[in-house]
Amino acid sequence: MKDPLSAVTDAFTSFLFGAVETTRLPVRTSTGQAQAVYLPTAAPGLGDSGVIIGREVYSGKGYIYDPFRLYGQQLPAPHWLVLGESGNGKSALEKTYVLRQLRFRDRQVVVLDAQGEDGAGEWNLIAQELGITPIRLDAMAALDDGIRLNPLDPAITTTGQLALLRTIIEVAMGHGLDERSGFALKVAHAYVNETITERQPVLTDIVDQLRHPEPESAEAMNVDIDDVRAWGLDVALVLDRLVDGDLRGMFDGPTTVGIDLDAPLIVFDLSHIDRNSIAMPILMAIVGVWLEHTWIRPDRKKRIFLVEEAWHIINSPFVAQLFQRLLKFGRRLGLSFVAVVHHLSDVVDGAAAKEAAAILKMASTRTIYAQKADEARATGRVLGLPRWAVEIIPTLSPGIAVWDVNGNVQVVKHLVTEAERPLVFTDRAMTEGSERAGLPGVGAQPLPEELPEDIRAAEWETEQRAAYLEHQRRINESSESESTVA
């Protein structure tokens, strides 16, 4: 208890100067030292409207992402690039993202499923759960009345048909068509469309016309009929592969009746196609144009086009150009393109480096799972990631990724619900190689029963917070002068 003299003195001081909050002296320190006292503040989130992804590691806040909600405000384009080595959670993220998007009534998704086991694509379980039959493109099955997609389907405009035929031929040949071959293809296509009206024209009709051109086509350009036949010979040989070669059955007949383009989820199962063969980019080209002219419509629906093993698209100049046009066109009609790639070097060092750069530039959202240090540095240079993010990427545990949403960079832990777990963590996801033990269903080794997932995650996050603070300390020491903090 204060003595009377001190009480009177304090009362008089308060009357003159107001109440005294504290008598502690100010402390002079540097920002580098002060950060140990003041906890780091989390970066602003992306809003609270959209699809829940998980939680931001450093702050623990929920992380919500939706390109359709963010477009025009925080995102210049709704397209998304997902990177990372196998076994780190890319597949789980894609599948839960699609399942959660489909809870909105105005969403529709197409998946090009290039992976699978036991004769079925990776998305087969999800398709079954939703009561959807995947469109399985398989040359052997197509011979037995399997699925067919007709490049000359009347639903595709004549301009689109010709562009598709050129792309197929250029992909197969590995170079562009010269003017003479292009002319032979154009006149053959025009003649087939004009004369075959009682049924859908098919590729066999184009091949026959290239082998036996009409005299009128030569007369129109004042050239010899044998020259027109010679110009179209290489084109006919390429298309013949789709008719009588190893790809026969899938594209040499009318489009299969019953393909439901109004279903909420459309899965093209490409798991029976050799991913390293020329068949894959040809398939990508055909499916891409077919969707452009039959699926994307101005009906106010928000559409997601997700492509597994997307380097097959970006690594071919002709297919990349086709998809680049699709991305530009689709943006006006509510299309979000999601490309899943293991390594960025697969595309930036490939034959279509220029086209790849254009597609990557349109992807305003980039999600990067664990990569080796040298790959992480290369990825950071191409995508312009901050230094601290590049240094963290090689240390990421399965299920945790660096998210860069148009410059908003955060570390996010993806969360999977119990209802989603049986659909998301397939046998392939459980057995894909990983150098580290991971969270249940994501890495190679599940956690033991007696060790809850939250404990493992908490230990990792503690280490990452320490690493994050160390990165910030280095940055502050190098870029900021000492300041006074009261």
Side-chain angles (χ1 to χ4, degrees), residues 150-169:
N150 185 11
L152 302 177
D153 192 318
I156 304 175
T157 63
T158 54
T159 301
Q161 292 175 11
L162 184 58
L164 177 52
L165 291 173
R166 288 186 64 100
T167 300
I168 293 171
I169 295 162

Side-chain angles (χ1 to χ4, degrees), residues 281-337:
I282 290 176
L283 279 170
M284 294 288 189
I286 292 176
V287 171
V289 172
W290 193 75
L291 288 173
E292 176 184 352
H293 291 271
T294 59
W295 179 57
I296 300 176
R297 290 166 278 177
D299 54 6
R300 296 188 179 275
K301 277 195 174 182
K302 304 295 188 294
R303 291 181 165 87
I304 299 168
F305 186 19
L306 190 151
V307 183
E308 301 266 14
E309 302 288 338
W311 71 272
H312 292 290
I313 288 176
I314 305 175
N315 208 36
S316 168
F318 307 108
V319 183
Q321 290 169 10
L322 187 155
F323 273 76
Q324 187 179 346
R325 187 183 76 246
L326 178 64
L327 267 59
K328 290 180 179 178
F329 174 75
R331 187 165 57 180
R332 300 195 304 269
L333 296 176
L335 175 70
S336 173
F337 178 68

Side-chain angles (χ1 to χ4, degrees), residues 133-152:
T133 301
I135 302 171
R136 183 165 299 152
L137 294 175
D138 181 353
M140 297 305 295
L143 295 175
D144 298 322
D145 296 325
I147 297 295
R148 283 185 173 87
L149 296 178
N150 185 11
L152 302 177

Side-chain angles (χ1 to χ4, degrees), residues 365-380:
T365 301
R366 287 82 69 91
T367 301
I368 304 97
Y369 283 89
Q371 297 178 330
K372 292 182 176 62
D374 56 346
E375 184 76 19
R377 287 191 291 270
T379 298

Side-chain angles (χ1 to χ4, degrees), residues 333-405:
L333 296 176
L335 175 70
S336 173
F337 178 68
V338 184
V340 184
V341 180
H342 283 225
H343 305 287
L344 202 56
S345 58
D346 290 338
V347 293
V348 298
D349 297 332
K354 180 180 178 181
E355 292 80 3
I359 290 178
L360 292 176
K361 187 177 180 180
M362 286 190 281
S364 301
T365 301
R366 287 82 69 91
T367 301
I368 304 97
Y369 283 89
Q371 297 178 330
K372 292 182 176 62
D374 56 346
E375 184 76 19
R377 287 191 291 270
T379 298
R381 286 194 299 271
V382 174
L383 300 184
L385 298 174
R387 186 178 67 180
W388 68 266
V390 173
E391 293 178 1
I392 281 179
I393 288 172
T395 73
L396 295 173
S397 292
I400 301 177
V402 169
W403 281 67
D404 177 7
V405 182

Side-chain angles (χ1 to χ4, degrees), residues 266-283:
I266 305 169
V267 177
F268 286 90
D269 184 349
L270 311 179
S271 61
H272 287 233
I273 307 299
D274 183 359
R275 283 177 280 174
N276 297 313
S277 74
I278 194 65
M280 186 61 78
I282 290 176
L283 279 170

